[in-house]
Every structure is written in C-alpha cells, then in structure tokens.
Amino acid sequence: MKIAVARENRQGESRVAMVPELVGKLTDLGYEVLVEPEAGTRAEYADALYVEAGAVISERALPEADVVLGVNALSSDRARQLRDGAAVLSFLPVNSSHDLVEDLRDIGVTAFAMELVPRISRAQSMDALSSQALVSGYRCAIVAAGLLRRFFPLNMTAAGTVQPAQVVVLGAGVAGLQAIATAKRLGAVVQAYDVRAAAAEEIRSMGAKAIDLELETLEGTGGYAREMTEDRAQRQMDALAPYVANADALITTAAVPGRQAPMLVTAAMVEQMKPGSVVVDLAAESGGNVEGSVPGQIIRIGHAQVWGGDNVASQMPGPASKLYAQNLVSLLTLMTSEGEFAPDFEDEVVAGAAVTHAGRIVHEPTREAIEGPAGPDEHLDPPNDQEDEK
Ligand code: NAD
C-alpha cells in the first residue's frame, strides 16, 4: 500500500507531515512512501533526505496513494485527485470547514481529523494538539523574551542589580504551561491564571505562582474550560487588571474547545501597562485573548507592543513536524494490520477521529450541523467495513 506525504499549500505553512527520520517506521509497517516534491523544504528537510530514508519523490504521490498524510486538510481540488476510497490524515477543523467536509463526503474520501483524536491515555502519543501546543507555548515565551528590551533573569553584578522581568501567563493548558516553564528557565518571575480547578497545582509544579482571583472555577466536559458568562468575564477582567498593569510581558494562551478564544484583556487594560512592555497573544488567530491583537502582526496599544500569533507552531517547523509526524506514525500503527491500512471503526480512537467515510459524514456533531437532525431510523454508527479500506 502507498502512503503519500502532501506538500502543504496553506499560506505561511512551513511544517510537513512526515520527516525523513520516521519514513523507516512507515516502511516497517509495510507501506511504500511517496513524497510530493519539496514537501519538506520549508522545514529544512530536502527531498534527498527522504530518498536516503527510502521514500520516492513523486509529483503523482496523491493520485497513487491509499493514504495521504498532511498537516492541513487537502483542498477539495486536491482531494478530487485521490483514488476512490483513499484516506487522509491531517488537521481538519470541522467547525469551520463545512463546505470541505461535504466535498470529502461526496468525493468518497475517508478523512480523519487530528484535532478529534480522543485525549485518552492510550492515545497520548497520537495527540497532535498537545505536540503542537508544546511548540507554540515555547515559542511564545521566546518571542516575549526577544521583544522585551530588558533581561528576563535577575542579575547581581558589581555594577549593580538588575531586577528580573515580571511575566504573567493567562491560560495554563499545554501551551501555557510550556510558556511558563520556558519563561521560568529564562529566569523571569512568572505568575499565571487559568479557570480550571486543576490548573493552580499545575502552575505551581512549573515553579510559577498561581494567581488566585477568588472567582469560581469553570470546568467543562473532559477537563476542559467552559465558556464564561458576560458577568464572569467582567469580574475576571476587573480582578486581572492590576496583574496585567504590573507585567513586563503578558502571554495569553486561553482557549475553549469548539469556541472562539475568550477575550480576557481589553485594550484599556493593556493601556495601563508600563513603557516597553510586551504582550504575546497566542490566541490571536482564533479570535484573540487580547482586544485588538492582529494575527501575524505586532501592533502598539498604549505603551505596549502587542504580538499576535499566526500558526505559531509553524515558526519552528523542524521540531513541530517531527512531533506531528510521530503522532501520525502512532495513529497509523493503530490503523495498520499486516501491512494493510485497515482502520477498525469499533476502536474509540479511530471512530473518534473519523470525519467522513464511505460517502457519509461519520462525526455526528458535524453531520448534524451540515445535514440536520437524524431521522428516527437512521443508523449513525461508523460502519465497520474494513474490507472497503483495502
Ligand atoms: P486549550 O488549548 O483548550 O485551552 C488552553 C487553556 O486555556 C486551558 O487550560 C483552559 O482552561 C484555559 N482557559 C479557557 N478559558 C479561560 C479563561 N477565561 N481564563 C483563563 N484561562 C482560560 O487547552 P489544552 O492545552 O488543550 O488542555 C486542556 C486540558 O486538557 C488540560 O487539563 C490538559 O492537561 C488536558 N489535556 C489532557 C491530555 C490527555 O489526557 N491526553 C492531553 C492534553 C491536554
């Protein structure tokens, strides 16, 4: 069976779904690996490295493949080049991609979305949201340190003492905790806040101070945060304002699954920050935690430079690609049996990640959003027709 590694077409995307180092894992599983020309170039993986690792560079990788690996979803036009029944594994933001999901259904592609891989212990090695959040959280702290025109660490020298930078991190999920850990390693004094009950302990375990706003915690399903009411949001902003005003660097990473990023910091709060201060908003491209932040740009609000994140993981394409490729290898290992791509739709991880299969939308919330409520007799479980996949 043939696996194709797609060349990414998204503007500004530098990652690639498979790295030369892991091609051998795919051939060990029994796959022939085809790579579209220059697929890895922007992540510093030249075509020759894939060839050395045992892959074939081919312009016809997509039409010949049984399985396609991508970072971003294929466009409808590219998906139409695929063989009947071919499968695609990539990120696929289902809530904002209804037209594409309909096309994938109609084309007959079996599409898996990496965002939908259930976050259970068994699937940790397949969790691409976490691997990419790790990269972007690190990057945010480095960007803040780079933009700030002063030291992060305390310096005690013969010429006097330089006080450490005060860093505030809002949102302490995977990205936020990595930003905290990185800022701590650089020597800053770090304080952080998150709405989840478990977060305070996680923040402290990174060596930072957990900010206690004396507000109720907001826990949703699966250990994720819930959306705030308007009143809760206002009280949180009022309580956070002095921490923001006192920060040299503010890093925001808050998100609520399936929703726009919550707005946590108003422009008026940023205007209270000191001259030379820096704001790094990782959530800028999903609505923004900071009012006025612009993805991919640095703007000025009051005295602060405000940096808006835009596909931040792609700014470190080598490690981001390697971690993502390892996530894919783990998922493919689960979906491969005796050298054949044979996803078992009875498996919780496979069923959870599946979006379209055999001409149907099998991710029920997406199906309902696109096709409307199911009739009483409709059978909605993903079919267990592995034979179709071979
Ligand atoms: P995320 O990207 O959805 O959100 C980032 C953070 O923003 C979260 O910690 C969230 O609580 C926080 N947030 C949301 N609204 C906020 C607000 N108004 N103010 C401040 N903070 C706010 O989260 P994530 O990084 O994907 O992780 C979310 C949870 O999932 C964490 O508990 C994490 O440990 C857990 N997780 C579990 C697994 C696993 O079991 N395999 C893997 C990854 C993450």
Side-chain angles (χ1 to χ4, degrees), residues 119 124 127 130 171-174 193-196 223-225 228 236 253-257 262 264:
R119 286 178 126 179
Q124 267 181 7
D127 183 353
S130 286
V174 180
Y193 174 71
D194 194 293
V195 288
R196 287 181 297 107
Y224 285 106
M228 295 184 287
Q236 179 170 316
T253 70
V256 177
L264 308 183

Side-chain angles (χ1 to χ4, degrees), residues 266-348:
T266 60
M269 288 162 78
V270 178
E271 278 165 12
Q272 298 304 310
M273 294 177 81
K274 291 168 283 192
S277 53
V278 164
V279 178
V280 168
D281 185 5
L282 175 62
E285 64 184 326
S286 53
N289 292 151
V290 178
E291 185 182 19
S293 69
V294 183
Q297 288 185 32
I298 300 174
I299 60 159
R300 182 165 283 274
I301 298 178
H303 299 298
Q305 294 185 79
V306 180
W307 182 93
D310 184 13
N311 195 0
V312 177
S314 174
Q315 297 178 9
M316 293 187 16
S321 301
K322 187 175 165 192
L323 292 168
Y324 181 73
Q326 185 58 64
N327 297 141
L328 284 176
V329 167
S330 299
L331 188 55
L332 275 165
T333 304
L334 177 71
M335 293 180 171
T336 304
S337 173
E338 295 172 11
E340 297 284 302
F341 183 69
D344 171 8
F345 285 92
E346 298 288 316
D347 184 293
E348 180 186 4

